[in-house]
Amino acid sequence: MVYNFYEIILLVVLIVSLILKIPINLFNKTFVLGTLVLLFTIDFNTLSLLEWQGIIKILCWIFGIWTINLGNSNILSSTDVLVFCVIIASSIMVSTNNLLALYLCLELQSLSIFIIIARKRNNLAKIEASLKYFILSSISTGLYLLGASVIFVNLGVCDYTVIINEDYSMGKLLIVVALLFKLGASPLHFWVPDVYQGSDNKALLILATLPKLSVFGVLVLLFPNNKLILVCTLLSLIVGSVGAINQSHLNRLLAYSGILATGFILFGLNSEVFWGIEGSLIYLVLYTTTFLIIIVGSNSALNDNSLIVEFCNVLTQPKIIMITLTLSVLSIAGIPPLGGFLAKWVVISSMVSTGFILSSVLSIVCAMIGGAYYLRLVKIMYFQQDKHFLLWKKILIPNKEPVNNTIVLGLTSYFIIFILVFPQALSQIIYWATISSF
């Protein structure tokens, strides 16, 4: 299939980049050229590109390529090789139906992210964050292996399709817990704020996008009718909205924002209806895109672990970047008529239609609380008192935005505006992807 071909190409690029110094511009041009050839040669009548696995893989590739282009490097570095490992693991994860293959993908993803976080060995905060992620991820991996072993002992197979329709079993419960840990859902969220705070922008972007996309793609195919996911959904909404209120570091606020987003992503999954899963994927795409805009847009204005009050340094950036960041923050906050509001509306309406009235009311309250601390970022950006004490260094020693970052920011901003004007383009693609998962 086409996707297997692309995974092989990524593996070849990964191996070659270990030996040769490949320019990033050459890699980008080759990737765009290959994508255009694919679009002109594929038979769209088969709708193979619009299957559930295909859409998740395409999203993983897009966010992975954007992550590689984040920074000042002109060649594919060792860090980019690890990003390739995460992309390949995320792509294969949604294709396999074997528990052992899924375990290998989870391990490749976790170990690569662990090294990406710890690659700056002179920074104690990053070493601490990487060790926390490694140790706690190892515990969740142990739970996953224990669950897979229980399933193999009871059923004699490692094919997870045999447990899809089971409501409760020890093996399935352990696997669900391990996957929810990778998503950072509450009450398994305790690693997220500390790891986010110790991560730089590149590691932060990987943590917030690829694991969420791949694990969500597996959960949709693997675990319908599981009440544990509903409990984790409600706890994620509460913890994500309340936990960020009194934060002083931007990365920790983004961590609790990610927990809140995980709650809304899982919220539609609990509805067990077509439009609920469709709304969850729409919300996931828009959240990861706006998160990318926030990271890339503030990359040159802020340090890796800045205080929230330093967000006013964005004023030193060009006005178009400020406007883009403002729209992105307001979109995540759910301000109408931006994309984040539409995604939350679709998810909540699907839950109301299936009878989850109290849960829907709770989600609306949590969305309102979350919107308050998102609006706080906009207030700090434009109206922070005595901000000239924080701006003087950026004005006297300005940082030039790398060309790759501006291209990524421009493309993602165009996507957000395009979806705002013509939302059917995204909803129709996700419609075909979701319908193939049933």
Side-chain angles (χ1 to χ4, degrees):
M1 292 178 62
V2 173
Y3 301 113
N4 292 336
F5 173 75
Y6 255 83
E7 288 156 9
I8 293 173
I9 292 297
L10 288 175
L11 183 60
V12 170
V13 173
L14 186 153
I15 296 173
V16 172
S17 60
L18 292 173
I19 304 172
L20 303 176
K21 294 182 178 180
I22 303 176
I24 290 182
N25 290 334
L26 176 62
F27 169 76
N28 292 334
K29 293 176 182 177
T30 305
F31 183 81
V32 172
L33 180 62
T35 303
L36 293 176
V37 171
L38 174 64
L39 292 176
F40 282 109
T41 57
I42 195 168
D43 184 11
F44 284 94
N45 294 326
T46 62
L47 296 178
S48 58
L49 273 176
L50 302 181
E51 294 177 354
W52 179 260
Q53 294 90 339
I55 291 297
I56 297 298
K57 288 182 179 182
I58 290 173
L59 292 173
C60 291
W61 294 336
I62 290 174
F63 284 102
I65 299 304
W66 282 345
T67 303
I68 289 173
N69 283 273
L70 180 64
N72 298 313
S73 178
N74 295 322
I75 61 173
L76 293 178
S77 61
S78 57
T79 303
D80 298 325
V81 173
L82 294 172
V83 176
F84 277 126
C85 292
V86 179
I87 298 172
I88 294 173
S90 302
S91 299
I92 299 176
M93 189 184 302
V94 296
S95 299
T96 183
N97 59 359
N98 187 280
L99 290 172
L100 292 180
L102 183 58
Y103 161 74
L104 293 176
C105 293
L106 288 171
E107 276 299 279
L108 178 59
Q109 189 182 79
S110 298
L111 291 175
S112 300
I113 293 175
F114 157 69
I115 300 173
I116 290 173
I117 298 173
R119 69 186 187 278
K120 297 180 180 180
R121 292 174 292 180
N122 295 327
N123 193 315
L124 293 179
K126 290 177 171 50
I127 298 298
E128 179 184 357
S130 63
L131 286 176
K132 287 180 180 179
Y133 181 79
F134 175 73
I135 294 172
L136 296 174
S137 180
S138 300
I139 295 174
S140 70
T141 301
L143 294 176
Y144 177 90
L145 282 178
L146 181 58
S149 302
V150 171
I151 292 172
F152 180 77
V153 168
N154 292 334
L155 303 176
V157 295
C158 288
D159 190 346
Y160 62 61
T161 56
V162 298
I163 63 171
I164 289 179
N165 295 321
E166 292 184 5
D167 288 335
Y168 297 100
S169 67
M170 181 57 67
K172 185 174 182 177
L173 179 65
L174 291 172
I175 293 177
V176 170
V177 169
L179 293 179
L180 290 175
F181 174 88
K182 300 295 182 182
L183 276 178
S186 182
L188 306 169
H189 69 282
F190 43 83
W191 61 274
V192 177
D194 292 335
V195 173
Y196 271 51
Q197 185 175 356
S199 303
D200 60 0
N201 289 337
K202 199 159 194 172
L204 196 61
L205 190 55
I206 287 289
L207 277 170
T209 55
L210 296 183
K212 280 185 169 57
L213 288 167
S214 56
V215 174
F216 176 74
V218 173
L219 280 174
V220 169
L221 297 175
L222 200 57
F223 299 111
N225 306 321
N226 196 293
K227 303 305 179 185
L228 175 63
I229 297 180
L230 178 59
V231 175
C232 292
T233 298
L234 300 178
L235 290 176
S236 298
L237 291 172
I238 296 172
V239 172
S241 58
V242 176
I245 293 177
N246 198 31
Q247 296 299 324
S248 58
H249 287 82
L250 181 62
N251 285 13
R252 295 185 73 90
L253 184 142
L254 293 176
Y256 284 102
S257 169
I259 296 171
L260 179 61
T262 300
F264 276 103
I265 292 166
L266 294 177
F267 202 43
L269 182 60
N270 288 284
S271 64
E272 301 176 10
V273 294
F274 167 80
W275 54 89
I277 298 177
E278 181 184 11
S280 293
L281 185 55
I282 292 175
Y283 187 90
L284 178 58
V285 172
L286 293 176
Y287 168 77
T288 49
T289 304
T290 50
F291 187 90
L292 172 67
I293 292 175
I294 292 173
I295 295 298
V296 176
S298 60
N299 185 52
S300 61
L302 302 177
N303 299 322
D304 290 336
N305 190 16
S306 299
L307 297 173
I308 295 178
V309 70
E310 296 180 64
F311 203 69
C312 62
N313 285 328
V314 176
L315 283 173
T316 62
Q317 301 300 301
K319 289 186 177 180
I320 186 64
I321 295 180
M322 290 177 55
I323 295 173
T324 303
L325 280 174
T326 304
L327 290 176
S328 300
V329 172
L330 294 178
S331 177
I332 296 182
I335 304 299
L338 300 175
F341 168 77
L342 297 177
K344 289 180 179 178
W345 180 76
V346 172
V347 171
I348 295 174
S349 64
S350 67
M351 295 296 288
V352 171
S353 64
T354 52
F356 291 86
I357 305 299
L358 293 179
S359 300
S360 300
V361 172
L362 176 64
S363 67
I364 294 173
V365 173
C366 293
M368 294 172 60
I369 297 174
Y373 61 75
Y374 287 124
L375 292 177
R376 179 187 173 198
L377 290 178
V378 179
K379 175 258 180 185
I380 290 174
M381 188 189 308
Y382 290 99
F383 308 111
Q384 178 65 32
Q385 294 182 355
D386 298 327
K387 57 179 175 289
H388 53 276
F389 291 106
L390 300 169
L391 293 175
W392 68 269
K393 185 177 180 180
K394 295 295 180 182
I395 295 175
L396 295 178
I397 312 175
N399 292 328
K400 186 178 180 180
E401 188 74 18
V403 176
N404 291 340
N405 289 8
T406 56
I407 294 175
V408 170
L409 188 61
L411 290 174
T412 50
S413 303
Y414 176 80
F415 172 77
I416 291 294
I417 296 173
F418 178 76
I419 295 303
L420 179 62
V421 177
F422 188 58
Q424 293 85 356
L426 177 63
S427 61
Q428 190 64 32
I429 294 175
I430 293 180
Y431 169 82
W432 287 111
T434 307
I435 204 171
S436 67
S437 65
F438 282 83

